[in-house]
Amino acid sequence: MGVQGLTTYVEGNKYFFQDVKFRDSRLVIDGCSLYYRLYFNSGLEQQHGGDYSEFACLLTQFFSALATCNIQPYVVLDGGIDPSDKKFSTLRQRLQSKIKEAGNLSHGRNGSVLPILTRNVFIQVLLEQGVPLAQCSAEADWEIACLAHQWNCPVLTNDSDFYIFDLPGGYLPLRFFHWTNLNGKASHRYISARCYTTNSLCRLFGGMNHELLPLCAVLTGNDYGVPKEAETLLALVDFSAVGGGGGRRKGGAPMSRVEGILLWLSTFSSVAMALDEVSKLMGEDSGRGKRGQKGGLSSQLWAGMQEYHIKGRSSLARWFSGVKAVPGGQTSRLAQLPECLSLAAMQGLLHPSVVDAFVMQRVLLSPQVENSKLASSHCSSRAIRQALYGILLQRPQDNITQGRGGGAQVVKGLQDEVQTQGMRVQENVRQGMRGGRGRGGRGSGGRGQGHIVPAQQGVNVAFSTEQAAGAATVQAQSSSSSTPIYVEEYDRVDLNLKKIQIEAHPPRNHLHLDGLGQAPVAVRLNVLFEVLGVKDSALAPVPLHLQLAVAVTGFWLREAVPTPSQLQLQALVLSMVYGELFLKHQSGATQHQHRVPQINWAAERKVLEGLNRQRVRPGERQGVNLGAAHSFSQWQACLWSALCLNQLLLLPLPEPNLSWLFSGTLVHGLVRSLKGGRAAESLLSGGSFAVQLYSSLLDAVRKCSTKANPSSAASGRKRGRGRGRGRRGRGGGGRGAQAGGRDDEMNNRFSLLMSEEEYDDDD
């Protein structure tokens, strides 16, 4: 949340803070505040789609600094939209503002837009570092405050609401948390910080009752808005009487709104007295000020104050103690999901947007730096989200829920597997972040001969994904026999935020939500491959941890409008090669068993250095290549949607290491070099491993770009695309044209890649 004007007022007064040497303590961290602060205040790249590797390195340094000072972090993340909708207006306003800022960045003007995969990278780094993490069902502020109150430790955040919460351990604003400059002797290192407590503020207002601070927040205005009659009330208050200077300080400076309200509230000894005064000023019935007249302003103020009231024990304390069950306080949204998904959500392994789609049937899509004259980059990945919504929201017919053709027996035989589901999901994430342990070639259990999931995933499924299609527990209902289900998506149209109704379309091999935890990996993998339109045989030569990225790239080539160019594809694959080289070099290649020749690291290092020199550097005067920016934004949107679907399916594929999969400055620099005449292979000269990996990935992407199973839910996807899917130009029907009949055209789309120049000069 946030209280209007409170940060400026409090942080402008040093007497509200105490300088501390912070060490040897627990620390509850507001995860969203942390990743926003670190990304935006460290000068990290925003114009070209983000540099996630630099962000990951920064996070690693941050948690290393905490460990050096014997500080134990506990990170708590916001979840999805508050079901009460109290904050939805604020969320829409912020999203509209970010759309404008993204437009500014695309034209070289000022703005701040968080790259779309930043949160995913943040969670991956935390899991890799072993940092305790909990993702709340909605707004995390109250849960963070309650946990810190129970543990008597401070909170690290940038949220002004924590100037209101009464926390005995205090609040450490990120602005004053100097983690990059450790002090003290080697065995007693500490971080210089400033600590705020409500006592310090109340002391400067004559020892006012700290229980009045929530009333100040509600009157001033927070993310939930201000009661309509609050302005009328404040106009009736005689601030000159309480301030003694006609609304001015002793030095003659004008008094801020926050300070005036605090001065007025300091004249009351209790909340009841203050609300009684509100009732009198507003002409409400007397004698009911303690709780307020029903529907009156005092009643609204009392209700708003409860957001800051810490009561009972924290529901997250047991979670962080190792009890991996969804806390009782979080059940308002997560309890509606199957247990395997609610646990995944708590672990940060299910994106909040998936929960929003299930509970609210509403999703807010993050803006990116792209060509605002074209359709939103999220249009290219709409078919993935439609399938995701179909899995989440479609209900099976009664006779289908019992299973058909032996499907129930297949599921029943896998009950023991379900008990290890949480461990398997965690391992799949870690495997992807480590770069994966890879697989042997086609002769060592490749998918073309029968799908054997590696032992690290804790599952052995001895049948192919093609065979697994017949074992699906539920088949999709025919569209003619079911009422269409829609999800509200809030996305960019030109530079305006618009609500778009998107129809849910379950995959042909529809896996019902209630049977998800019992479904074999091969069944879930088959659903993922069907939605992305790829065959497992096309991915057989690809290291396991890169298969999702390669499948998404093939999907992107078919679905992106304008069609990605050959140079953009080559730059993207070269960026993947760069990331793989770096990770293998960093780990000494000890954890990578993918069948490759003996690596000559002297030669491969030269390739790494050469690729790194191609980056777009800070301060270069050339503007953003909008054609490339739009294309790569579509790729990131496709990957984001595919990550959400993969998480919903309980990670049948490990997630790629996002920190090193994509670099905005690198892919844009590579497009520039390739366009200038450099051959992609020449950038890898001398690196036999790099050349082989590049060739393997590029060949797999080509195969994935030809749609598998064209008869699968394609007809439904055509109906749901709506605005933004037409081809550019008069002949294609413009941005608002429907996309019916495009599947056959897309089957061989790779061979029709357009030249880079056609879209380079869009502005």
Side-chain angles (χ1 to χ4, degrees), residues 193-274:
R194 289 185 181 179
C195 184
Y196 165 91
T197 62
T198 55
N199 287 339
S200 62
L201 185 146
C202 292
R203 191 180 307 117
L204 265 70
F205 285 89
M208 72 178 288
N209 186 343
H210 64 81
E211 293 181 356
L212 289 161
L213 293 180
L215 183 52
C216 173
V218 179
L219 284 170
T220 304
N222 55 26
D223 286 352
Y224 294 140
V226 187
K228 292 181 179 179
E229 295 177 301
E231 291 297 332
T232 303
L233 169 70
L234 295 177
L236 295 172
V237 174
D238 185 2
F239 287 109
S240 62
V242 295
R248 292 183 173 272
R249 298 176 182 173
K250 292 181 179 179
M255 186 187 302
S256 70
R257 176 188 177 99
V258 171
E259 186 176 10
I261 292 174
L262 286 169
L263 280 168
W264 176 61
L265 292 176
S266 68
T267 63
F268 305 103
S269 61
S270 68
V271 172
M273 289 184 63

Side-chain angles (χ1 to χ4, degrees), residues 656-667:
N657 188 323
L658 300 173
S659 305
W660 296 96
L661 185 69
F662 174 88
S663 165
T665 57
L666 180 58
V667 294

Side-chain angles (χ1 to χ4, degrees), residues 451-655:
H451 177 54
I452 307 294
V453 179
Q456 290 88 347
Q457 290 177 254
V459 185
N460 188 350
V461 184
F463 51 95
S464 70
T465 52
E466 286 87 349
Q467 293 169 321
T473 59
V474 179
Q475 297 296 322
Q477 300 178 59
S478 65
S479 58
S480 61
S481 62
S482 60
T483 303
I485 298 175
Y486 295 90
V487 172
E488 292 180 359
E489 287 190 346
Y490 286 79
D491 195 10
R492 174 187 69 78
V493 175
D494 299 323
L495 285 175
N496 300 306
L497 180 66
K498 298 292 185 181
K499 178 176 72 174
I500 306 167
Q501 296 286 349
I502 303 298
E503 185 175 353
H505 289 296
R508 181 187 59 183
N509 295 308
H510 179 45
L511 187 65
H512 182 239
L513 201 62
D514 292 339
L516 200 57
Q518 292 80 32
V521 172
V523 172
R524 292 181 273 120
L525 190 62
N526 188 68
V527 172
L528 179 65
F529 284 169
E530 181 203 329
V531 174
L532 294 179
V534 301
K535 295 180 179 178
D536 59 351
S537 57
L539 294 170
V542 179
L544 186 63
H545 61 283
L546 288 176
Q547 288 188 4
L548 184 60
V550 169
V552 164
T553 306
F555 179 93
W556 165 71
L557 284 174
R558 293 193 310 271
E559 298 295 325
V561 177
T563 308
S565 73
Q566 173 80 357
L567 302 187
Q568 291 166 1
L569 172 62
Q570 289 176 322
L572 197 54
V573 175
L574 285 170
S575 179
M576 295 181 193
V577 171
Y578 175 85
E580 279 295 287
L581 277 178
F582 185 92
L583 289 172
K584 286 183 180 293
H585 181 256
Q586 188 180 53
S587 64
T590 57
Q591 297 182 7
H592 302 271
Q593 305 301 321
H594 187 57
R595 187 172 294 175
V596 294
Q598 185 65 35
I599 297 177
N600 178 352
W601 280 117
E604 304 297 341
R605 274 195 298 271
K606 290 183 180 178
V607 172
L608 266 176
E609 293 166 0
L611 289 173
N612 196 49
R613 285 195 294 270
Q614 308 306 314
R615 292 181 182 275
V616 174
R617 301 295 174 183
E620 291 187 2
R621 293 187 177 183
Q622 291 184 349
V624 179
N625 178 337
L626 272 184
H630 197 82
S631 189
F632 292 134
S633 289
Q634 289 183 90
W635 182 84
Q636 290 207 72
C638 289
L639 181 58
W640 178 82
S641 292
L643 288 168
C644 289
L645 177 61
N646 192 45
Q647 290 180 344
L648 174 63
L649 295 172
L650 300 175
L651 301 181
L653 282 180
E655 292 187 342

Side-chain angles (χ1 to χ4, degrees), residues 106-246:
S106 71
H107 291 91
R109 298 189 290 267
N110 292 333
S112 294
V113 174
L114 196 71
I116 191 172
L117 299 177
T118 304
R119 182 189 179 103
N120 300 70
V121 171
F122 180 77
I123 291 172
Q124 283 193 351
V125 171
L126 263 60
L127 293 174
E128 189 177 41
Q129 296 287 316
V131 177
L133 166 69
Q135 179 174 277
C136 293
S137 65
E139 184 88 42
D141 288 5
W142 188 88
E143 290 289 351
I144 290 171
C146 193
L147 180 63
H149 189 275
Q150 180 174 326
W151 282 353
N152 193 25
C153 71
V155 169
L156 181 68
T157 181
N158 235 16
D159 192 331
S160 57
D161 281 305
F162 287 87
Y163 289 122
I164 302 298
F165 285 112
D166 186 27
L167 302 176
Y171 159 35
L172 304 177
L174 276 161
R175 177 183 175 187
F176 304 125
F177 193 74
H178 303 296
W179 64 272
T180 57
N181 186 23
L182 303 186
N183 296 287
K185 297 180 180 179
S187 59
H188 294 86
R189 306 286 275 173
Y190 64 86
I191 295 174
S192 296
R194 289 185 181 179
C195 184
Y196 165 91
T197 62
T198 55
N199 287 339
S200 62
L201 185 146
C202 292
R203 191 180 307 117
L204 265 70
F205 285 89
M208 72 178 288
N209 186 343
H210 64 81
E211 293 181 356
L212 289 161
L213 293 180
L215 183 52
C216 173
V218 179
L219 284 170
T220 304
N222 55 26
D223 286 352
Y224 294 140
V226 187
K228 292 181 179 179
E229 295 177 301
E231 291 297 332
T232 303
L233 169 70
L234 295 177
L236 295 172
V237 174
D238 185 2
F239 287 109
S240 62
V242 295

